[in-house]
Amino acid sequence: MKTPPIVSAQEWNAARQELLVEEKKLTRARDALAAKRRRMPWMAVEKEYRFDGPDGPMSLLDLFEGRRQLIVYRAFYAPDVTTYPQGGGAYPERACVGCSFLADQVAHPAHLNARDTTLAFVSRAPPGRDPGPEGAHGLGADPVVHDHRRF
């Protein structure tokens, strides 16, 4: 394996400053692209999405829970999901290993809720079934809702 040369602190700092110019240029370009994305026109959602929530049927509007923003994570939990841990079961015992990993990393939603945002996990899991393996991924107050059609 070819490794970079070993240099003095002064040479390293000069190389770092040169790289920093490129990094800042990239950051400004990414920020400009993000601003352009935020200015895109909105599109009306005309499809009638229906979900099975913890307290019964829910609409897409219900998922917002009265907040201004909604983050939907589509948790893959269905017979056609093939990303399972090695030697660790399959549907309906387990959800997608990546989705289960993400579910484990979700903290309490209070931080998002304080910013007028709701996080919803949507899956094709049977009602009452958490998308994590054996329902062990406690998603706190986040609604785990179930869409039996394609979302």
Side-chain angles (χ1 to χ4, degrees):
M1 176 172 93
K2 185 174 180 184
T3 60
I6 305 295
V7 297
S8 69
Q10 184 179 8
E11 290 172 295
W12 185 89
N13 280 324
R16 175 68 190 115
Q17 289 304 315
E18 193 175 302
L19 184 61
L20 187 58
V21 169
E22 289 182 49
E23 288 176 339
K24 287 185 176 189
K25 183 178 177 183
L26 178 61
T27 298
R28 285 190 292 276
R30 185 179 53 239
D31 289 348
L33 182 61
K36 198 180 230 184
R37 185 182 309 113
R38 288 189 301 272
R39 290 189 301 269
M40 283 185 63
W42 290 5
M43 181 183 78
V45 177
E46 296 174 358
K47 184 174 179 179
E48 181 81 17
Y49 290 101
R50 301 300 301 167
F51 306 92
D52 294 323
D55 299 320
M58 298 176 78
S59 68
L60 182 60
L61 184 61
D62 293 333
L63 293 185
F64 281 81
E65 294 183 334
R67 296 185 184 91
R68 190 175 67 84
Q69 297 183 95
L70 174 66
I71 299 170
V72 175
Y73 183 83
R74 168 62 163 85
F76 292 101
Y77 184 92
D80 57 343
V81 173
T82 58
T83 55
Y84 299 110
Q86 290 182 350
Y91 179 86
E93 291 80 31
R94 296 206 181 267
C96 160
V97 68
C99 296
S100 298
F101 177 79
L102 183 123
D104 270 346
Q105 309 312 310
V106 174
H108 192 276
H111 183 73
L112 288 172
N113 296 166
R115 282 144 188 86
D116 211 15
T117 302
T118 299
L119 171 64
F121 280 74
V122 176
S123 80
R124 289 174 48 210
R129 183 92 169 137
D130 183 322
E134 292 87 46
H137 299 283
L139 298 174
D142 301 323
V144 178
V145 296
H146 309 278
D147 173 28
H148 298 286
R149 299 177 310 172
R150 294 286 175 182
F151 182 71

